[in-house]
Amino acid sequence: METELSRDLGIEHAIFGFTPFPAVAAAISRAGGFGVLGAVRYTDPRELARDLDRLDKLADGRPYGLDVVMPARKVEGVTEADVEAMIPDAHRGFVQDLLTRHGVPGLAEGEASGWRITGWMEEVTRGQLDVAFDYPITLLANALGSPPADVIDRAHAHGVLVAALAGSAEHARRHAAAGIDVVVAQGYEAGGHTGEIGSMVLVPEVVEAVAPLPVLAAGGIGSGEQAAAGLALGAQGVWLGSLWLTTEEADLHSEALTRKLLAAGSGDTVRSRALTGKPARQLRTAWTDAWDDPAGPGTLPMPLQGLLVAEAVSRIQKYEVGELLGTPVGQIVGRMETVRSVQAVVDDLTRGFERAVTRINRIAGRSAT
């Protein structure tokens, strides 16, 4: 699965794996792909440095990257406390009532919430970058569009390529104008924040819109045949996130959540604003149903919603409250039926890719090479 982009990055397979787990990112890179560590959960730069140390050691000299969530525009003088103060009391009461109805215990006295949306705030992300550029990352991806111009320049000064996710051709054109090196065309099927356009339509539109910039296909990809389809549409690689959640190296800290993922079908996800305030595909649960119910107060805009629900999400995860327990995941969850090693997943992807190429060559009357 070699393309011009994969050769430029020095990887064997044009498989880019996004994950919040350093061990998974390293295993993807060791398997010949390109591991990308999600940084949004690292509100303390020292914790990011600790996990980048681990990733760098485990990657065994193979290339890897970092994914951040950074707005292109900065709102001056706004602190987390200022944002917290904007949350209506009615919404706080709705969260508490929901937790009470489902019998969710509180956190211990003095225990801090383990999940915070502050990784979306620019000052936090800039602290992450101060750490990241001390490591040999070769790709910096931004999940919230193009990062600020000075960040792009800083990455390029370190010899780091910059990627940005796009949900439409117009988004992609803006990325190209901003100086982005790689566009990730993320379709409606993907986990996390997604737009309205399916991958089969989106990928060729983006490829045409930003040519000759390389494009990665994302959303609904969980087999080598689907990866081959992405490359056939003009992409130079595939970007996979959900598929790694049920690998042996993943550290979900929840057997209950792993069981829910393994049991879920492709129709068991929903695009909901319940987690961050922007539409994000995730497992459908009583939590998402409550927030999407017209009788409720409705979700708040980003970043208010994320700050509002941070402690609740931590409590649900800690106590594994089954009816409410969920996670961002794409429609490909229906193929995630067993726990496998990262190497086994990559091997399956490459074998499927070879099968697809052989099939197309046979249809075209050519012998496989």
Side-chain angles (χ1 to χ4, degrees):
M1 290 183 65
E2 286 190 357
T3 65
E4 183 179 351
L5 178 61
S6 70
R7 286 190 291 271
D8 287 345
L9 288 169
I11 59 176
E12 183 179 356
H13 309 301
I15 298 170
F16 294 75
F18 165 81
T19 174
F21 308 117
V24 174
I28 294 168
S29 293
R30 288 199 311 272
F34 190 93
V36 182
L37 179 65
V40 69
R41 66 190 179 97
Y42 295 100
T43 57
D44 185 339
R46 293 170 297 182
E47 294 178 357
L48 177 59
R50 177 202 63 201
D51 278 1
L52 283 174
D53 282 337
R54 183 183 179 203
L55 169 54
D56 194 63
K57 181 178 180 180
L58 292 174
D60 197 24
R62 303 295 182 91
Y64 59 88
L66 191 74
D67 179 278
V68 298
V69 181
M70 190 173 203
R73 298 182 182 88
K74 181 177 182 179
V75 180
E76 297 287 350
V78 177
T79 67
E80 182 180 344
D82 294 331
V83 178
E84 288 266 17
M86 300 177 190
I87 298 174
D89 290 340
H91 282 74
R92 295 187 187 277
F94 178 79
V95 171
Q96 187 55 52
D97 289 346
L98 183 57
L99 296 175
T100 300
R101 287 202 308 272
H102 288 272
V104 183
L107 296 176
E109 185 176 351
E111 182 179 1
S113 167
W115 184 87
R116 297 292 284 173
I117 201 67
T118 49
W120 296 82
M121 302 183 74
E122 182 174 348
E123 61 267 27
V124 175
T125 309
R126 287 188 178 274
Q128 294 168 349
L129 295 177
D130 289 340
V131 170
F133 288 127
D134 287 335
Y135 292 83
I137 63 170
T138 53
L139 179 75
L140 175 68
N142 190 43
L144 204 61
S146 303
D150 69 293
V151 172
I152 297 174
D153 291 342
R154 187 179 179 189
H156 288 165
H158 282 82
V160 175
L161 297 179
V162 180
L165 274 66
S168 72
E170 181 56 34
H171 292 164
R173 279 189 284 267
R174 291 202 294 267
H175 295 341
I180 293 298
D181 305 292
V182 181
V183 176
V184 182
Q186 180 168 287
Y188 173 83
E189 310 94 326
H193 295 103
T194 66
E196 300 282 351
I197 305 173
S199 299
M200 188 65 71
V201 173
L202 178 65
V203 172
E205 285 187 348
V206 171
V207 168
E208 181 179 352
V210 301
L213 285 184
V215 172
L216 300 178
I221 300 173
S223 72
E225 288 84 354
Q226 290 167 316
L231 269 60
L233 294 173
Q236 288 200 30
V238 291
W239 177 278
L240 313 179
S242 299
L243 200 62
W244 316 108
L245 289 173
T246 52
T247 57
E248 293 172 357
E249 294 87 347
D251 193 12
L252 283 179
H253 296 296
S254 173
E255 292 184 4
L257 181 54
T258 298
R259 289 195 297 270
K260 289 189 75 169
L261 289 169
L262 295 175
S266 56
D268 292 328
T269 68
V270 62
R271 285 174 76 245
S272 171
R273 298 177 183 269
L275 189 60
T276 68
K278 284 184 177 291
R281 186 171 298 284
Q282 54 203 281
L283 283 178
R284 182 176 181 178
T285 65
W287 174 265
T288 61
D289 287 348
W291 281 106
D292 295 337
D293 188 341
T299 56
L300 297 170
M302 181 186 286
L304 299 182
Q305 182 71 15
L307 290 170
L308 167 66
V309 305
E311 181 182 323
V313 170
S314 291
R315 289 163 61 182
I316 292 166
Q317 291 174 345
K318 176 177 179 178
Y319 299 110
E320 297 190 328
V321 182
E323 301 91 342
L324 302 177
L325 186 63
T327 185
V329 69
Q331 291 179 331
I332 200 62
V333 69
R335 295 184 64 98
M336 296 157 51
E337 298 175 337
T338 60
V339 175
R340 299 179 292 166
S341 69
V342 166
Q343 183 67 63
V345 172
V346 173
D347 288 345
D348 187 58
L349 289 168
T350 56
R351 283 193 297 265
F353 179 82
E354 291 170 356
R355 286 194 299 268
V357 171
T358 299
R359 186 181 305 120
I360 294 301
N361 278 327
R362 185 168 60 247
I363 292 170
R366 302 187 185 99
S367 60
T369 57

